[in-house]
Amino acid sequence: MAEVTYKNKKVVILGGGPNRIGQGIEFDYCCCHAAYALKEEGIDSIMINCNPETVSTDYDTSDRLYFEPLTLEDILNVIELEKPMGVIVQFGGQTPLNLAVPLRNAGINLLGTSAENIDIAEDRKRFKQMLERLGLMQPENGTAFTFEKAKQVAKKIGYPVLVRPSYVLGGRAMEIVYDEENLERFIKKAAEVSGEHPVLIDKFLEDAIEVDVDMIGDGSTFVIGGIMEHIEEAGIHSGDSAMALPAFSLSEKILNEIRQATYKMARELNVVGLMNVQYAVKEDKVYVLEVNPRASRTIPFVSKAIGVPLAKLATKVMLGKKLKDLGFTQEVIPKYTAVKESVFPFNRFPGVDMILGPEMKSTGEVMGIDGDFSRAYIKAQLAAGQHLPKKGNVFISVRDKDKRAIIFLAKKLKDLGFNLYATSGTASVLKKNNIPVKVLPKIAEGRPNVLDLMKDGKIHLVINTPSGRIPRQDEVKIRSQVILYNIPYTTTISGAQATVNGIEVMLKKDLGVKPLQNYHQQIKKV
């Protein structure tokens, strides 16, 4: 095969492959920005991607497109033909990142963070050693290939544990396990997905606040793009969580600890390009959950929130430019709030339970932006298709653990003029606290029950937290009907708090609209 000749230098960009849960359009955004950045630098971009539904495979995005599968063999064939100066693996998500070490072993020049340092972040044992060296904490953890070994690890670190396969997309086959009986079932499932890699077992930090950090580095200067606080508590996949930038409840002390830990790891891994870190904060302690030395699915959100094209800058950094020359040397902390909310496909799958967990289910995301957190949250809900009511009836049914927290929210809803309905357990707690509530029979016990009221259009908001990992049949029926009749709902207490606060703010003043550019101008003035 004759070599393709160009007058310019060439760089290969590896795309994300087919869109599926856990790997979506966010990575395509990064690949497109990489192609645009290469064009600006006078370098020809060669895109390898096999998804016709993306912008990266449009005829005018890159200089040359290879519509090929993202396998080592196919990529090496293209490289042999094109003879590029280097390959970018950071922008297509986990699929190209998994090819970093095999490509390096084949003698290919990877642009950006080295394959060796990518492997430190991806390999559980090497990652643990790095954190110990840096004096950073992570939840207790271990690895196993068999149920017997998993049992020993779980016993040592204590239940609940998070069981997950290595090197997978979107938390596939990831589960929170509370006892030995379920451990056996989930280990089997995770081992099938993990293949020759071990299954990872981590101590699950209940009721922790999860935090995502995106940062960019040029090998010597490291700048945080954004620190995002998850609205749902830990245990829900970061791709499914709503999150806010800047953080809305964390203290400056904790945020500075997170910044320092991020810089330490970026220096240690000698990051050239992008890096994403996930943290959990519990009882004022900061734990490192994982580090991804690549673009994360929050890069488009952060870039739009702060008005800085991070993927574009990262591409230029990989070509040898310095952040100082590109004019980005300081973290941007906006005076307004941007909220990212996930969009779910539940209305396409009648009968599927919509409870969120560590395995990703969302198929898209939206952004709400405002000077105030509650209003930004409401805008994000509207964009995601949740039309929150200003009056009407609210159905509440929460697990025992959430009953204390629901009292304050129920009282606020009552004060805002809503009528409350609940099942007997939740209703008795509300009545003890002098909150008027109408008790509904359980579904099998009589009528009219909550399903009848939903059918008649008499329920306008549902707050329902799951009673356990294996949900009760009543709960599943309620949540399925919520989707069927397009009723706004929330399945976490933290989500319910944000929703009720948002409704309160909305009742005081209607939402306003302002172009994104106006928000970005506020940053420039600062």
Side-chain angles (χ1 to χ4, degrees):
M1 218 187 258
E3 183 195 337
V4 181
T5 54
Y6 278 116
K7 57 180 187 296
N8 293 338
K9 289 177 175 173
K10 298 175 277 187
V11 166
V12 165
I13 303 163
L14 300 186
N19 277 4
R20 59 264 203 224
I21 300 224
Q23 185 126 326
I25 214 73
E26 307 92 339
F27 296 116
D28 203 62
Y29 165 99
C30 295
C31 290
C32 292
H33 275 243
Y36 306 150
L38 291 171
K39 205 168 277 183
E40 284 172 19
E41 295 301 310
I43 293 170
D44 288 321
S45 56
I46 296 161
M47 189 74 65
I48 305 179
N49 204 0
C50 53
N51 184 354
E53 294 294 317
T54 57
V55 183
S56 70
T57 53
D58 280 359
Y59 71 95
D60 58 351
T61 298
S62 54
D63 294 291
R64 201 167 180 84
L65 168 68
Y66 284 86
F67 204 81
E68 299 292 334
L70 287 149
T71 66
L72 184 64
E73 187 183 359
D74 289 285
I75 291 163
L76 290 175
N77 285 343
V78 174
I79 290 170
E80 189 186 344
L81 178 69
E82 291 284 1
K83 306 224 172 350
M85 60 185 267
V87 176
I88 295 176
V89 296
Q90 281 190 23
F91 292 148
Q94 195 66 34
T95 305
L97 202 72
N98 287 351
L99 291 166
V101 173
L103 283 169
R104 178 203 58 186
N105 293 344
I108 305 303
N109 177 33
L110 298 186
L111 299 182
T113 308
S114 72
E116 175 62 15
N117 287 331
I118 287 173
D119 194 53
I120 291 172
E122 293 286 311
D123 183 287
R124 176 49 61 109
K125 200 172 169 188
R126 299 183 76 187
F127 181 58
K128 195 174 187 171
Q129 287 165 353
M130 179 189 86
L131 293 183
E132 281 168 6
R133 226 173 23 251
L134 297 175
L136 299 174
M137 279 194 301
Q138 68 176 149
E140 277 191 85
N141 60 72
T143 58
F145 281 100
T146 62
F147 168 56
E148 278 310 311
K149 179 72 173 110
K151 218 160 56 168
Q152 289 168 20
V153 173
K155 205 171 179 181
K156 183 173 168 252
I157 63 182
Y159 290 97
V161 292
L162 186 66
V163 174
R164 57 187 171 146
S166 320
Y167 299 92
V168 292
L169 297 173
R172 189 169 152 228
M174 199 190 273
E175 284 288 351
I176 297 163
V177 178
Y178 288 85
D179 52 50
E180 204 169 283
E181 187 190 331
N182 284 314
L183 181 69
E184 185 166 17
R185 191 163 87 242
F186 293 133
I187 279 288
K188 226 178 204 161
K189 189 176 155 197
E192 278 167 24
V193 175
S194 216
E196 76 237 37
H197 299 294
V199 173
L200 315 176
I201 301 163
D202 297 79
K203 174 77 179 159
F204 174 60
L205 303 172
E206 287 190 284
D207 303 321
I209 295 169
E210 209 159 322
V211 179
D212 255 79
V213 181
D214 279 326
M215 65 99 52
I216 184 170
D218 62 14
S220 53
T221 304
F222 305 98
V223 184
I224 286 175
I227 298 177
M228 292 151 278
E229 181 179 344
H230 291 212
I231 291 163
E232 287 86 6
E233 59 272 359
I236 290 170
H237 193 281
S238 64
D240 285 354
S241 290
M243 49 181 86
L245 188 163
F248 58 95
S249 78
L250 295 171
S251 69
E252 206 50 47
K253 176 181 170 285
I254 292 290
L255 290 172
N256 283 333
E257 247 180 80
I258 287 170
R259 284 185 183 105
Q260 292 316 313
T262 306
Y263 291 136
K264 269 184 186 177
M265 288 186 284
R267 275 194 290 271
E268 184 72 12
L269 293 169
N270 195 27
V271 170
V272 178
L274 295 168
M275 177 176 96
N276 166 266
V277 192
Q278 284 166 29
Y279 295 97
V281 178
K282 186 170 180 177
E283 291 158 2
D284 281 351
K285 289 195 177 96
V286 175
Y287 297 88
V288 181
L289 298 181
E290 63 177 280
V291 172
N292 294 305
R294 58 166 167 84
S296 71
R297 61 179 66 75
T298 46
I299 284 292
F301 167 69
V302 175
S303 299
K304 288 172 186 183
I306 67 171
V308 177
L310 294 172
K312 226 179 202 184
L313 295 187
T315 307
K316 295 187 177 188
V317 156
M318 287 183 221
L319 296 171
K321 295 217 158 180
K322 293 292 178 191
L323 286 170
K324 203 173 169 188
D325 306 328
L326 296 168
F328 186 59
T329 54
Q330 212 176 343
E331 181 188 347
V332 174
I333 304 169
K335 293 278 182 240
Y336 49 82
T337 300
V339 171
K340 184 215 91 168
E341 181 56 286
S342 300
V343 178
F344 297 93
F346 298 129
N347 58 350
R348 305 285 172 89
F349 300 102
V352 165
D353 195 3
M354 62 192 187
I355 282 300
L356 302 179
E359 189 164 10
M360 192 173 158
K361 294 178 181 175
S362 64
T363 50
E365 55 187 41
V366 292
M367 172 166 146
I369 190 165
D370 202 287
D372 160 90
F373 167 71
S374 295
R375 301 169 82 77
Y377 180 78
I378 290 293
K379 285 180 178 180
Q381 295 310 305
L382 284 169
Q386 290 246 57
H387 293 273
L388 297 174
K390 290 185 176 181
K391 59 179 185 193
N393 305 323
V394 180
F395 172 73
I396 303 172
S397 174
V398 295
R399 58 188 171 183
D400 292 344
K401 188 179 153 192
D402 295 331
K403 286 191 167 122
R404 254 180 92 171
I406 204 67
I407 296 164
F408 174 72
L409 294 179
K411 188 175 183 330
K412 194 180 253 194
L413 283 165
K414 195 74 201 163
D415 293 346
L416 293 173
F418 287 88
N419 303 311
L420 305 183
Y421 290 81
T423 44
S424 53
T426 304
S428 70
V429 171
L430 298 182
K431 281 181 171 173
K432 274 182 201 160
N433 288 276
N434 302 320
I435 298 166
V437 57
K438 187 160 187 193
V439 186
L440 291 176
K442 290 196 167 109
I443 291 165
E445 286 174 0
R447 311 184 77 159
N449 56 44
V450 67
L451 299 185
D452 300 317
L453 293 184
M454 285 183 187
K455 209 172 185 175
D456 296 341
K458 289 179 180 167
I459 297 290
H460 306 101
L461 174 67
V462 170
I463 297 172
N464 172 225
T465 63
S467 57
R469 193 67 203 98
I470 314 291
R472 297 188 187 122
Q473 280 312 104
D474 275 18
E475 292 177 11
V476 177
K477 283 179 187 162
I478 290 166
R479 292 194 287 263
S480 299
Q481 198 133 321
V482 157
I483 297 295
L484 186 65
Y485 296 114
N486 203 16
I487 301 165
Y489 65 89
T490 176
T491 58
T492 62
I493 281 293
S494 44
Q497 285 165 339
T499 300
V500 173
N501 290 343
I503 291 171
E504 183 182 28
V505 165
M506 207 165 54
L507 284 167
K508 287 178 184 165
K509 189 182 163 199
D510 278 337
L511 298 172
V513 178
K514 206 158 69 168
L516 193 57
Q517 289 83 343
N518 287 21
Y519 286 105
H520 292 167
Q521 275 164 3
Q522 279 177 242
I523 291 173
K524 282 169 188 157
K525 279 178 194 163
V526 174

